[in-house]
């Protein structure tokens, strides 16, 4: 049994990870989350009270973080400002949380010599051409495009420097685009599913040719647990499930599964600096740590995700109109 401190555990991927840990291990979990617009306590309902605790707070609060880190065996760091579009309109919170928040956590982990796992993104590598035969590997040079991805890149570099200079017991993972339950309606897949439920035509940025490499959130969780259990300190592991699809294909699939005309979507103004394509080569994680993804059928995964949003309207409805109003102002 280990005591895990999970930052950002009330967000999309963090809450999926907490449910996964509860179902698949006997570990004890404390979630530290500020409950920004992206955090939702409803995502953590039904967890066993004897193995789970929630603490509301900011990862940049050094005193709070010091006390919590000293009490746990492993810090699993998910908390971040995570949405590219928001980072283009108001970058400051991305610097505060992604850079200063990460700095605060690694200082505490260093002080108490605790195992630290840093969750990051494939976006730190920039983007690929549509016809590039290469995919991102752990050796790809950093080349982030947006305020979001540059602050994630900065946080990765802080963790690497703390490993080298101070012997921080850390691993890093960079994962591709996640889908599944509990994802905020600002993000692409939930936005289009809930639009279709509401009779609003889905919105594609630009031509819709941009490619994302989709992975189910449970596969991300199993990969992170594998790295915590078997990963080599100081190493970076890329997480991906060979799920490349362009945005147009994804919207058409959602509309088909929802019994609607697969051409009934609108093209809207493109995202500034929009990364064209992400693609992950996860051979290192598969070959060295023996991890394999379980969700190989994207079609079936999307069908389940649509069903989850149909069954859990009370979870997403409170955020929907404010999210769409914000997009409308931006012409998206
Ligand atoms: P999210 O926006 O859904 O959740 C972020 C959570 O962090 C929220 O619960 C929020 O309240 C919390 N938080 C934000 N600022 C905080 C602060 N200062 N102190 C404490 N808590 C704070 O994000 P997500 O999509 O679940 O992403 C989680 C992590 O995974 C991020 O680090 C992100 O960079 C990374 N990631 C995401 C994806 C993806 O596809 N969504 C892919 C790869 C990596
Ligand atoms: O690659 C990992 C990253 O994936 C994570 O680091 C980020 O935290 C996460 O938000 C996600 O970033 P993206 O920018 O790829 O995700 P988003 O859901 O915002 O958009 C996915 C694609 O869909 C992207 O090409 C933009 C496009 N899009 C998005 C929205 C919201 C649309 O075409 N229409 C939309 O309405």
């Amino acid at each position: 049994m280990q005591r895990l401190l999970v930052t950002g555990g009330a967000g999309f991927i963090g809450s999926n990870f907490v449910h996964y840990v509860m179902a698949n291990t006997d570990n004890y979990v404390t979630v530290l989350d500020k409950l920004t617009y992206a955090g939702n306590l409803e995502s953590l309902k039904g967890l066993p009270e004897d193995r789970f605790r929630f603490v509301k707070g900011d990862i940049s609060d050094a005193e709070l973080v010091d006390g919590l880190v000293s009490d746990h065996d492993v810090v699993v760091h998910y908390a971040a400002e995570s949405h590219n579009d928001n980072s283009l309109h108001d970058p400051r919170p991305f610097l505060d949380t992604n850079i200063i928040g990460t700095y605060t956590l690694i200082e505490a982990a260093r002080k108490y010599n605790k195992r630290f796992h840093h969750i990051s993104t494939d976006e730190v590598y920039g983007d690929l051409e549509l016809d590039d035969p290469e995919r991102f590997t752990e050796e790809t040079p950093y080349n982030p495009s947006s305020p979001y991805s540059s602050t994630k890149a900065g946080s990765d570099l802080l963790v690497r420097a703390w490993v080298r200079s101070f012997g921080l017991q850390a691993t890093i993972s960079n994962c591709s685009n996640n889908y599944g339950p509990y994802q905020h309606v600002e993000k692409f897949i939930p936005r289009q599913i809930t639009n279709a439920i509401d009779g609003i035509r889905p919105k594609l940025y630009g031509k819709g040719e941009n490619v994302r490499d989709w992975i189910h959130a449970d596969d991300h969780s199993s990969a992170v647990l594998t790295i915590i259990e078997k990963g080599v300190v100081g190493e970076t592991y890329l997480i991906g499930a060979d799920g490349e699809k362009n945005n147009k294909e994804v919207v058409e699939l959602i509309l088909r599964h929802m019994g609607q005309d697969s051409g009934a979507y609108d093209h809207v103004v493109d995202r500034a600096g929009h990364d064209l394509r992400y693609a992950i080569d996860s051979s290192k994680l598969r070959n060295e740590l023996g991890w394999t993804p379980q969700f190989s059928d994207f079609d079936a995964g999307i069908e389940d995700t649509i069903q989850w949003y149909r069954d859990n309207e009370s979870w997403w409805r409170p955020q929907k109109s404010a999210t769409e109003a914000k997009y409308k102002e931006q012409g998206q």
Side-chain angles (χ1 to χ4, degrees), residues 22-23 27-29 44-53:
M22 288 295 156
N27 290 337
Y28 180 93
V29 170
L44 294 169
K45 264 192 161 165
L47 294 168
E49 279 171 21
D50 57 335
R51 288 205 289 138
F52 172 73
R53 178 163 75 111

Side-chain angles (χ1 to χ4, degrees), residues 122 135-136 174-176 213 238-242 278-282:
D122 57 0
R135 297 188 287 170
F136 299 139
N174 297 80
C175 188
S176 61
D213 189 353
L238 262 55
I239 305 173
D242 303 328
Y278 306 137
I280 288 266
D281 177 349
S282 57

Side-chain angles (χ1 to χ4, degrees), residues 82 121-123 148 177 191 203 205 212 247 271 274:
S82 69
T121 169
D122 57 0
E123 296 196 15
Y148 162 67
N177 284 63
R191 183 181 185 206
K203 313 288 181 216
Y205 293 174
R212 295 296 180 264
N247 295 338
R271 174 184 282 171
H274 196 174

Side-chain angles (χ1 to χ4, degrees), residues 221-243:
S221 295
S222 70
V224 168
L225 257 190
T226 302
I227 297 166
I228 290 168
E229 284 162 7
K230 300 194 222 162
V232 177
V233 163
E235 292 292 315
T236 290
Y237 298 91
L238 262 55
I239 305 173
D242 303 328

